[in-house]
Amino acid sequence: MEKSMNSTTLARTKSEQLVIETQAAATPTSKSPTMQNEDAPITSENMGTLSRKSSQRMVVGASPGRSSGGNKNNTHIRKARSAQVKMDVEELSNGAALSRASSASLGLSFSFTGFTVPPDEITDSKPFSDDDIPEDIEAGTCKPKFQTEPTLPIYLKFSDVTYKVITKGMTTSEERDILNGITGAVSPGEVLALMGPSGSGKTTLLNLLGGRLIQSTVRGSVTYNDQPYSKFLKSKIGFVTQDDVLFPHLTVKETLTYTARLRLSKALSRQQNEKRAIDVIYELGLERCQDTMIGGSFVRGVSGGERKRVCIGNEIIINPSLLFLDEPTSGLDSTTALRTVQTLQNIAEAGKTVITTIHQPSSRLFHKFDKLILLGKGSSLYFGRASEAMAYFSSVGCSPLIAMNPAEFLLDLANGNINDISVPSELEDKVQVGNSETETRHEKPPPAVVHEYLVEAYESRVAENEKKKLMTPLPLDDEIKLKVFSSKREWGASWWQQYCILFCRGIKERRHDYFSWLRITQVLSTAIILGLLWWQSDSKSTRGRQDQAGLLFFIAVFWGFFPVFTAIFTFPQERAMLSKERAADMYRLSAYFLARTTSDLPLDLILPVLFLLVVYFMAGLRLSAGPFFLSMLTVFLCIIAAQGLGLAIGATLMDLKRATTLASVTVMTFMLAGGYFVKKVPVFISWIRYMSFNYHTYKLLLKVQYQDITPPVNGIKTDDGLWEVGALVAMIFGYRVLAYLSLRGMQLHRGA
């Protein structure tokens, strides 16, 4: 009997099934406390309460886990209906959605003034929550539990903040205002959004508040717990840049683990640091891609949303008190952007202070912000609760004439565009008395006039009150205030730990480049061609030694040229990463520099060994252990010295085009002065050859191969070669000291 009923049910259409079975299964039950009145009208006031902190959220749907009747049919009804009845908050607020929802296919009766739900269907109803947002497929199972451990609360205040830059031309210099008297405040547990059109000063204000601009160019007051900025705050601030600066060949897990080992307290063990990284991975929903490489322009890796969450994880792993984010939703789809903002909301609710710039959020994103600063041309147009922004602009005479996204409405005002927006009476008067050119533009005031009006309205209505509020001292203990004022930096790891971690990270990141098939093919093919050209050359005759001298000179030139142009790219390519990590005080510059230069050595010395193994025996050079290993040691010294020159040029210029040009001229000069092409160099320019690593390498190779052989080849004395070794060692250290001083003098960020 039951089977026949089920087959009959499947033969019906879904709408008929739900209508008939709902009427048959409905039994009198008590009303859910979440539904105050089944016939209560849905008004704009009701819908306005659907914010993330509202406890009066409306829902239509039944839990599939319960059955009021206790039979299988009712369970089937609820499962089918719960999948269809769940509706999005925005669709409930939309009259068209309500009209569509009045279809009998849902088994419900909707109208523009209210809706009726069968009593048994609302017994398990619950308020809307952010869990109702469609799950981001790439995010996995995200269970927010963000850093519930206690952290230092930081109240950020800023008043009359002004920032100017001087642009220098060929003959004159011009002073340009970027920020004009910006005032605001944000407390722990709040998310402050900086919104405005492109070029309005959002990123500049964010960098200023995050301590990443030189204070000498800043005017106004910026305080953290009523104290000025100090180096101690670097360990309490997380800063997510707009660009996702990550190493492409590291996996998600490796990236977060290295960050944890560098930034977390040295009191924690390695296992505890790795556990923290795993916790962050699961909190951000990255468990599905934790073993996937980050990827880059030419390397396939994680998606854009996952990459952004990795950047956020790099900062929240230290449990920061302040978190700054520069346009974290740029380039993301709406669902991923919503998940990202939900992540920020969870972080704030754990007692953190969150400040983010945002360009043009959706209406759902906009309502998740606690506070809002609207910027236009560097001036503040609004500061206050995000939920009160529309009411404020309505009070100054600017209201949308059609239904529109609040963020879109605010950006139009910030741009001075008041199409589809009511014109305040003061601006109408200016239009009427304006010239005819202005009147022809549909009697709309120009953007400059709108901007000036909004700035004046903010100054007269809001600014003074906010400044008075900022004057009120915070109810904090003096101990907490003084702790923020501490000028002592807090390093997460010791110098030796930093060096070891950066050394391992460098080898893992660059092993893909050094062992690429292109590079291996380049070296081995060159070695084979040289071996064939000098196949079993004769070293006993004078002419044969002259031929071998040409081979030795080419070896000196090749392993002088190759490392220079490899090392030139080191610091310019990593400048963004170095700036980001040094600004966060992740490590000392000396530890980074030494780790960066030494981590290249094991990888740089593998290919020369393969090269010499091929060339040395094919060319028939001295077949004994001593000369072979001495030749290899000579080539190693040449490579390390040439590497130092490349590092120095790259670190000094920090521009690949200029660095490549300078390196080309330098290497060519060293090659010409290397002692093979010109035997007698004029005295006034002979000093160049003593700076050439090609010259000293060539002499050493000749002395190793033809020691105790007369007459000397190319007039070079076959002594012990200590002078040449000393010169190469001096170049190895001298060039690297120059590179380090260049990095130290480069202004990466304040305090770097």
Side-chain angles (χ1 to χ4, degrees), residues 412-548:
D412 280 347
L413 286 178
N415 280 310
N417 176 20
I418 56 174
N419 293 326
D420 301 321
I421 298 175
S422 61
V423 180
S425 57
E426 293 88 343
L427 291 181
E428 288 181 347
D429 295 339
K430 291 184 179 181
V431 171
Q432 292 175 0
V433 299
N435 55 36
S436 58
E437 181 182 353
T438 305
E439 291 176 3
T440 58
R441 297 173 56 189
H442 303 289
E443 298 185 351
K444 293 287 185 181
V449 175
V450 175
H451 174 77
E452 182 182 353
Y453 169 77
L454 294 176
V455 171
E456 292 176 356
Y458 171 78
E459 292 292 338
S460 60
R461 294 170 179 259
V462 180
E464 292 302 323
N465 293 333
E466 293 299 332
K467 291 177 183 178
K468 290 178 182 178
K469 292 179 183 178
L470 295 180
M471 298 298 293
T472 306
L474 294 172
L476 294 176
D477 296 337
D478 292 337
E479 181 180 355
I480 296 179
K481 292 183 178 181
L482 293 177
K483 191 174 183 180
V484 173
F485 189 63
S486 173
S487 60
K488 184 180 179 181
R489 287 182 175 180
E490 289 190 357
W491 300 102
S494 64
W495 189 95
W496 177 248
Q497 289 174 329
Q498 291 175 4
Y499 169 78
C500 294
I501 295 169
L502 293 171
F503 181 88
C504 295
R505 189 180 75 172
I507 289 181
K508 276 194 174 183
E509 166 59 24
R510 288 182 294 281
R511 62 187 174 183
H512 303 275
D513 296 332
Y514 282 95
F515 296 113
S516 65
W517 284 108
L518 182 63
R519 181 169 296 199
I520 294 174
T521 303
Q522 179 185 12
V523 172
L524 290 182
S525 59
T526 303
I528 292 173
I529 292 173
L530 290 176
L532 293 174
L533 290 175
W534 275 270
W535 177 261
Q536 298 299 315
S537 58
D538 182 18
S539 61
K540 296 180 180 179
S541 64
T542 303
R543 184 168 183 175
R545 288 194 293 270
Q546 288 290 341
D547 288 342
Q548 285 189 350

